[in-house]
Amino acid sequence: MDKTNATVISNFIFLGFTYYPQIEVIIFVLCLLMYLITLLGNIILISVSVLDSHLHTPMYFFLSNLSCLDIWYTASALTPMLTNFISGKNTISFSGCASQMYFSLAMGSTECVLLSVMAYDRYVAICNPLRYPIIMNKKICVQIAAGSWVTGSFTALVETVSVLQLSLCGRSVINHFTCEILAVLKLVCVDTSKVQLIMLVISVLLLPMPMLLICISYAFILSSILRISSLDGRSKAFSTCAAHLSVVVLFYGTALSMYLKPSTIHSQEVDKFIALVYAGLTPMLNPIIYSLRNRDVKVAVKKLLVRNSVCALSVFSSK
């Protein structure tokens, strides 16, 4: 952005859900509940993955990374909206908007890569169980996870810089509840074809391509599961894969509807509600889906609760 625009636009104003005053309070309460449940659920999932030695496997390592992503993503997207609603000021500074846009894009992009990595992990575990400890060793898992974070952070930086260096012509009202990149792009009054091309290329790399890898992985996984003779083993494999597929469908479904929809669709109001699902509902459901459908997680949570209860009772009795 040039110096003139940088001095003129020091703050942005969010319209949020002001067009729906009757349900604005309901939306605030729902977002607050989603935020708190997301924090609680993902913190519990990270805690049991770290504290329970039985969960020190690649699957739960990647799942912990996913939980960290969800916490950061929800915080970057929903916290400013909740704060503005309480304070009554629907404003954000230019630097705050840039940071919010970057972190939201970085967490979302990283999750796209990480979900495809988790599908590959399930493919190796089910289709090559004897070689699984060798292929998915600790060093490889750390490198893959780090690569996912670096990829997401780099693509987010490219998109954020590409948009914010454009001239905004003094317009500062964002028709959204967050500094969502597509909403900010609508404030630009110069040619945006290059930026849209960059965003399209990145969206294709991070959405359809990982989805294709996930579909290929699960095609092989399904074929292997059907060959498992043990009913218990087949049921456990189906349960683990069903949890991951549920998260994939929920995440990619909303992401595709946001960033790869036809250019003739221009309903900003629809985008806001899709963004609520993308930023609030999906991160909240991730730990619930994995914990409810996963026997190991439920057992680990019970152990953790029992351990904490015993510790609390021992401290209370000593007093």
Side-chain angles (χ1 to χ4, degrees):
M1 177 177 287
D2 58 277
K3 294 182 179 179
T4 303
N5 285 309
T7 55
V8 171
I9 301 179
S10 57
N11 293 283
F12 289 99
I13 300 171
F14 293 127
L15 286 184
F17 295 95
T18 52
Y19 293 146
Y20 309 96
Q22 300 88 348
I23 62 171
E24 201 169 9
V25 176
I26 298 175
I27 292 173
F28 167 78
V29 173
L30 289 176
C31 288
L32 180 60
L33 287 174
M34 286 191 295
Y35 180 60
L36 294 176
I37 294 172
T38 298
L39 282 180
L40 179 63
N42 284 292
I43 288 174
I44 289 174
L45 203 51
I46 293 171
S47 300
V48 296
S49 298
V50 173
L51 296 176
D52 195 311
S53 58
H54 295 94
L55 301 184
H56 291 176
T57 63
M59 174 183 170
Y60 294 102
F61 171 72
F62 292 129
L63 192 54
S64 297
N65 276 265
L66 182 62
S67 293
C68 288
L69 281 172
D70 287 338
I71 290 173
W72 277 97
Y73 184 73
T74 307
S76 65
L78 294 186
T79 302
M81 184 192 77
L82 296 173
T83 304
N84 288 338
F85 187 89
I86 294 173
S87 64
K89 298 179 181 179
N90 291 329
T91 60
I92 190 171
S93 65
F94 180 85
S95 58
C97 184
S99 299
Q100 187 182 55
M101 183 189 298
Y102 171 74
F103 280 109
S104 295
L105 286 171
M107 298 303 104
S109 300
T110 304
E111 187 159 345
C112 289
V113 181
L114 193 61
L115 287 174
S116 63
V117 169
M118 292 174 70
Y120 175 73
D121 172 68
R122 291 299 83 207
Y123 159 73
V124 178
I126 294 172
C127 299
N128 296 283
L130 297 179
R131 298 183 61 198
Y132 181 66
I134 300 173
I135 297 174
M136 301 300 292
N137 60 64
K138 185 176 181 180
K139 182 180 178 180
I140 294 295
C141 290
V142 171
Q143 290 175 344
I144 292 175
S148 301
W149 285 87
V150 170
T151 300
S153 300
F154 176 73
T155 54
L157 182 63
V158 171
E159 289 183 294
T160 303
V161 172
S162 298
V163 171
L164 293 181
Q165 70 179 352
L166 298 175
S167 174
L168 303 182
C169 301
R171 294 187 291 173
S172 60
V173 179
I174 301 175
N175 188 12
H176 213 285
F177 64 85
T178 182
C179 282
E180 203 275 324
I181 189 168
L182 296 177
V184 175
L185 196 60
K186 291 181 180 180
L187 304 182
V188 176
C189 56
V190 296
D191 182 34
T192 61
S193 56
K194 290 183 179 179
V195 175
Q196 288 180 337
L197 179 60
I198 292 172
M199 291 177 59
L200 178 62
V201 171
I202 291 176
S203 296
V204 169
L205 290 174
L206 294 178
L207 290 171
M209 287 188 65
M211 278 194 68
L212 178 61
L213 294 174
I214 291 171
C215 290
I216 293 173
S217 297
Y218 274 98
F220 285 106
I221 288 171
L222 182 60
S223 176
S224 296
I225 289 176
L226 293 176
R227 291 198 300 267
I228 297 176
S229 57
S230 168
L231 185 62
D232 184 60
R234 188 184 301 177
S235 175
K236 186 175 181 180
F238 264 123
S239 178
T240 303
C241 294
H244 182 247
L245 276 177
S246 301
V247 172
V248 167
V249 170
L250 193 61
F251 178 81
Y252 279 102
T254 51
L256 286 170
S257 63
M258 279 280 292
Y259 296 105
L260 288 180
K261 65 183 178 183
S263 58
T264 54
I265 299 177
H266 292 293
S267 177
Q268 187 64 32
E269 301 308 309
V270 173
D271 283 352
K272 292 179 190 177
F273 287 99
I274 293 175
L276 278 181
V277 175
Y278 190 72
L281 186 62
T282 305
M284 180 190 73
L285 291 179
N286 282 355
I288 296 175
I289 290 171
Y290 277 107
S291 60
L292 289 179
R293 296 190 61 89
N294 194 298
R295 188 187 309 165
D296 294 335
V297 173
K298 288 188 283 188
V299 170
V301 170
K302 288 178 182 177
K303 285 182 180 178
L304 184 63
L305 292 175
V306 170
R307 189 188 307 169
N308 289 338
S309 299
V310 171
C311 291
L313 287 172
S314 61
V315 171
F316 180 78
S317 60
S318 64
K319 290 182 179 181

